[in-house]
Amino acid sequence: MTWNQKYDRAKQRLLNDEAICTENRELFARFFDFEEYKLKRINRLAQLDDGTYKTLLYYVSRLRTVNRWFENKPWNALTKEDIKQVYDDLEDGRIRTLRGKPFKEKDTYYRKILRGKPFELAGKKGLAAEVMEFYSPRDDGEVRFIREESFRRIVEMVSKREHKALLWLAWDVGENASTLLCLRRRDFTRQVNEDTDEAEYAVTLRRENLKRGRLPRTEITNYSDTARLLDEVFNGLGDDDLVFRFGTRMAAKMLCRVARLTQTVCIPGGERVTLKVLRSSMACDLLGKGWTTDEVNRRLGHKPSSREIDKYVNWLALDTRGPRKKLVDNDLRRLKGELAEARQHEQLTSRRVSRHEEENRDLRAEILQTQRELAELRVTMQLLAARQIS
């Protein structure tokens, strides 16, 4: 099913849901007309594409959620007290997700709905801004990632090669799993690295598969494990075949289960490992291996500088193990130098021994030859002595 079909189906379900009051359904219809037109114009599109349909689909679920918070009251009749009640319940953690946890993405609802176009169409945007007088978008610089050894421990527990290939591709290329699951065989080009003589793949990330605002690009895989698994997965696939024949939900469940089995959690706060975490983990891993922020941002599909990568750079710079790591690195460099000298000495010694062995072989051959000549001379002398006696 295409994103267009997914959006149309979800939109019709929302607008035809008789459990939602007529006033709100009419407001939602007006909003979708506005948003569809806006997305076409700001993106300079003659027709909506997959990226815009994804955005619109997210709005369907958000509108339904906010309608539930206000208990299906007509939005154009909401009072200041109604809005304040919902706002306070969100901030105080009384409104919870289906899993029974407080909403963490409140800012999205505030920005897109309560202080966005839907409440403007309802004539309540100003009232919401008045209620949320002390609100400011939260940017606490929170980071979450896992290290390479933890990732490898996770992958070792995965049994299906298609699942392994997806995890390695997410760690290696750093793109969202939803995008990677849309890739087809033609999006991969196998080549050989000139420096290492190892196989690698150029992965083409097309605009229609990417999140809105993400740069279309082609990325080269960094790990031989990724190329090896892709070789296996591609066996028997045609150019137009999907590489992965499962969805985001199955991939998320698989990763959650394996992370739980390996007791792997995120650094530094111990949060649950998700598919999105693999993207940030790749960024941290590359930063730790000497990549610049611009290089990492480009691999992530961001502009040269972004708040998203800056917070990881700041966290890594504040890592208290940094000074200790520098000392260890110095020791390692010293040991590597000593090892190189020892290997050089060993090679010289080995050559000297080989040369002596060759000289010894020649000397032994000369001794044997001399012994043979002496033996022959002794026999000759014995024969001469015998003739003289006779």
Side-chain angles (χ1 to χ4, degrees):
M1 183 180 296
T2 65
W3 286 104
N4 183 358
Q5 293 170 333
K6 292 178 182 178
Y7 165 62
D8 284 340
R9 185 177 67 173
K11 174 184 172 183
Q12 292 306 315
R13 284 181 177 176
L14 179 70
L15 298 182
N16 295 321
D17 188 348
E18 296 184 355
I20 300 175
C21 67
T22 303
E23 294 88 343
N24 287 351
R25 282 186 283 159
E26 291 176 353
L27 186 147
F28 298 162
R30 289 164 54 205
F31 168 74
F32 286 123
D33 289 341
F34 165 83
E35 192 67 19
E36 290 171 11
Y37 179 78
K38 183 191 82 171
L39 289 172
K40 286 204 310 186
R41 293 291 78 89
I42 64 175
N43 293 295
R44 307 185 71 176
L45 299 172
Q47 300 292 332
L48 295 173
D49 61 7
D50 283 349
T52 54
Y53 282 123
K54 288 181 185 179
T55 300
L56 291 166
L57 184 59
Y58 294 148
Y59 271 113
V60 174
S61 61
R62 288 168 182 160
L63 290 172
R64 187 182 290 277
T65 298
V66 176
N67 186 71
R68 185 173 66 251
W69 291 346
F70 286 104
E71 298 178 344
N72 197 31
K73 293 180 181 178
W75 289 9
N76 57 12
L78 293 175
T79 65
K80 184 176 180 179
E81 288 70 25
D82 293 330
I83 299 174
K84 185 176 184 301
Q85 182 67 53
V86 169
Y87 176 58
D88 288 344
D89 286 348
L90 280 168
E91 289 297 302
D92 296 337
R94 287 188 290 271
I95 293 180
R96 295 178 173 264
T97 65
L98 295 177
R99 293 185 176 182
K101 298 182 179 180
F103 270 86
K104 287 189 175 181
E105 298 183 359
K106 296 174 291 190
D107 287 346
T108 301
Y109 287 92
Y110 295 157
R111 187 175 67 255
K112 300 289 188 181
I113 308 294
L114 273 66
R115 303 181 69 168
K117 193 65 179 181
F119 263 46
E120 180 182 333
L121 293 174
K124 302 299 177 181
K125 182 177 179 179
L127 198 59
E130 184 180 338
V131 168
M132 301 170 66
E133 176 183 2
F134 305 111
Y135 163 76
S136 61
R138 188 176 68 177
D139 185 10
D140 55 7
E142 181 183 13
V143 299
R144 59 179 69 179
F145 65 97
I146 59 175
R147 300 195 185 277
E148 183 178 343
E149 56 267 26
S150 299
F151 170 75
R152 289 183 177 276
R153 188 166 62 247
I154 286 175
V155 175
E156 287 176 0
M157 290 292 293
V158 177
S159 56
K160 294 186 177 180
R161 66 181 181 183
E162 291 82 1
H163 294 169
K164 282 180 179 284
L166 176 66
L167 293 181
W168 265 111
L169 196 60
W171 173 271
D172 195 330
V173 176
E175 191 48 69
N176 288 345
S178 58
T179 294
L180 299 178
L181 290 171
C182 293
L183 295 178
R184 298 181 182 275
R185 176 63 184 87
R186 65 171 180 269
D187 296 319
F188 295 82
T189 303
R190 195 179 193 275
Q191 57 194 34
V192 176
N193 187 288
E194 296 179 356
D195 298 322
T196 64
D197 290 330
E198 293 184 344
E200 63 185 17
Y201 277 91
V203 185
T204 301
L205 302 169
R206 305 178 190 277
R207 184 182 299 276
E208 58 267 24
N209 293 331
L210 292 168
K211 182 179 178 181
R212 178 65 58 190
R214 200 71 54 79
L215 298 175
R217 61 204 187 278
T218 298
E219 297 295 346
I220 306 298
T221 56
N222 288 329
Y223 292 88
S224 58
D225 302 80
T226 309
R228 175 180 55 79
L229 285 164
L230 289 176
D231 284 342
E232 297 176 5
V233 170
F234 289 159
N235 187 27
L237 290 184
D239 284 347
D240 290 329
D241 291 339
L242 285 170
V243 176
F244 305 106
R245 301 184 183 184
F246 53 90
T248 306
R249 182 173 298 179
M250 178 181 291
K253 287 183 177 179
M254 174 269 297
L255 178 57
C256 181
R257 179 181 61 82
V258 179
R260 187 172 60 251
L261 288 174
T262 57
Q263 299 181 344
T264 305
V265 294
C266 292
I267 299 171
E271 298 90 350
R272 182 169 58 91
V273 178
T274 64
L275 291 169
K276 188 176 181 179
V277 166
L278 297 182
R279 176 175 165 83
S280 57
S281 300
M282 179 216 70
C284 286
D285 185 64
L286 295 181
L287 288 170
K289 291 177 179 176
W291 285 43
T292 66
T293 54
D294 285 353
E295 289 170 336
V296 175
N297 268 319
R298 188 201 177 282
R299 194 165 183 86
L300 291 171
H302 292 162
K303 295 179 181 179
S305 181
S306 69
R307 290 187 305 171
E308 187 65 23
I309 196 65
D310 287 346
K311 66 184 182 183
Y312 285 95
V313 173
N314 292 336
W315 191 91
L316 290 171
L318 293 173
D319 189 349
T320 56
R321 290 173 297 178
R324 172 61 180 165
K325 184 176 184 298
K326 291 180 181 179
L327 294 175
V328 173
D329 288 343
N330 289 334
D331 290 340
L332 286 175
R333 282 194 291 270
R334 178 177 55 79
L335 290 173
K336 285 180 179 179
E338 293 176 357
L339 179 60
E341 292 180 2
R343 285 177 176 172
Q344 186 177 12
H345 179 72
E346 181 183 0
Q347 289 175 353
L348 292 173
T349 303
S350 177
R351 291 171 186 169
R352 190 179 299 114
V353 169
S354 297
R355 186 168 60 251
H356 289 329
E357 288 179 349
E358 291 177 3
E359 293 174 353
N360 288 337
R361 281 197 296 271
D362 293 340
L363 181 60
R364 283 196 296 272
E366 291 179 4
I367 292 173
L368 289 174
Q369 180 63 26
T370 301
Q371 289 175 343
R372 283 195 294 270
E373 291 176 352
L374 288 174
E376 292 175 358
L377 181 59
R378 192 163 43 249
V379 171
T380 301
M381 291 178 66
Q382 289 175 352
L383 290 174
L384 288 174
R387 288 176 183 176
Q388 290 177 355
I389 295 173
S390 60

